[in-house]
Amino acid sequence: MPDLSAFVPALAIALLAIVLIWFAFGTQLNIRRGNRVLGWLQDGLPALGPRATLRWLGSSVAALSIVHPAAPYRGADVLVVLEPRDLGLLWALARRRGRRDVIILRLNLVRAPRFGADLVDPHGWSPGGMGSSDLTEAGKRTASNGRVYRVRDDGRAPITELAEQWDALERASGGVWRLTVSQTVPHLEVHALPPDLRGSGSARLFSAVRELAELVSAPPAQPPGR
């Protein structure tokens, strides 16, 4: 019987080579994909502010920070969170759990919202730590595309108007996974999937985000006669 121990070093070297080759290939694939999404975002970014700085956090996250954000924003960050294509096994597991490339907008507003709400697609993937424990279940809604999402709020949120904004975001993107309104920063967070990047630009998405920001930061209505 042949001595298999002689093959162990060669097998280990071969496996290491496969991992390194996959890592290099996956990294380049992610960077190309990220640059395509960033190019698509360029069309609408001026709605947030005149200039943005870009940082790559590894090969799976591109972070845009808006310089001198325009009203109604006090601060604005856009994250392009990509699937971990550079880590083959992790990528397969992540896709099985529903992870896809996603655009995350984190916005601080000049006027903080007067309510809290969290609208979530239960089949979507989101980073951990989202949502507030102070919110209570407010039922489910069906989006214009037929997908059902869960709603939680603090009892003061204009659920119907937020549902309309969810639909507007759906039409301007490849789908929405989360819409969170908070009285603490970030005041507004939206998780949206990139659409077909060969289609129209991102201006519609950022226009819908602005309408949402204006809704959640609107001052309270004055009583009649005042």
Side-chain angles (χ1 to χ4, degrees):
M1 183 175 179
D3 183 6
L4 297 180
S5 63
F7 296 97
V8 172
L11 181 60
I13 292 172
L15 289 174
L16 179 60
I18 291 172
V19 170
L20 292 176
I21 291 171
W22 184 278
F23 180 81
F25 173 76
T27 297
Q28 291 302 314
L29 190 63
N30 251 14
I31 290 174
R32 286 199 297 269
R33 171 63 174 172
N35 285 335
R36 289 184 62 208
V37 176
L38 290 170
W40 179 79
L41 288 171
Q42 290 299 315
D43 178 47
L45 280 176
L48 297 181
R51 189 164 62 89
T53 61
L54 170 65
R55 291 181 302 146
W56 276 94
L57 309 178
S59 62
S60 294
V61 179
L64 290 163
S65 294
I66 304 301
V67 180
H68 304 305
Y73 310 111
R74 187 186 298 275
D77 294 297
V78 181
L79 304 177
V80 178
V81 181
L82 304 167
E83 299 176 48
R85 295 177 176 87
D86 50 349
L87 303 172
L89 181 58
L90 181 60
W91 183 22
L93 292 173
R95 284 191 66 85
R96 184 178 179 86
R97 294 173 181 172
R99 181 167 172 177
R100 298 292 186 271
D101 298 333
V102 62
I103 299 166
I104 298 178
L105 293 94
R106 290 178 177 158
L107 308 168
N108 301 335
L109 305 175
V110 174
R111 181 184 290 110
R114 295 174 292 106
F115 60 87
D118 194 26
L119 286 63
V120 181
D121 181 342
H123 301 292
W125 173 88
S126 290
M130 291 294 304
S132 170
S133 59
D134 296 331
L135 304 180
T136 58
E137 293 292 336
K140 296 179 179 179
R141 289 268 176 162
T142 302
S144 57
N145 62 2
R147 293 182 67 89
V148 176
Y149 57 92
R150 190 182 76 244
V151 179
R152 297 190 306 143
D153 82 323
D154 60 2
R156 296 175 293 175
I159 300 299
T160 299
E161 288 86 347
L162 289 176
E164 292 172 354
Q165 294 300 320
W166 178 286
D167 285 342
L169 291 167
E170 285 271 8
R171 292 190 293 269
S173 67
V176 182
W177 276 352
R178 191 167 209 132
L179 190 169
T180 301
V181 182
S182 174
Q183 293 180 288
T184 59
V185 295
H187 297 126
L188 184 58
E189 184 154 338
V190 174
H191 297 195
L193 300 174
D196 183 349
L197 301 179
R198 296 168 297 181
S200 59
S202 61
R204 277 208 314 158
L205 173 62
F206 286 100
S207 176
V209 169
R210 183 183 180 88
E211 290 181 10
L212 173 62
E214 290 173 345
L215 168 68
V216 304
S217 63
Q222 292 292 331
R226 294 190 63 182

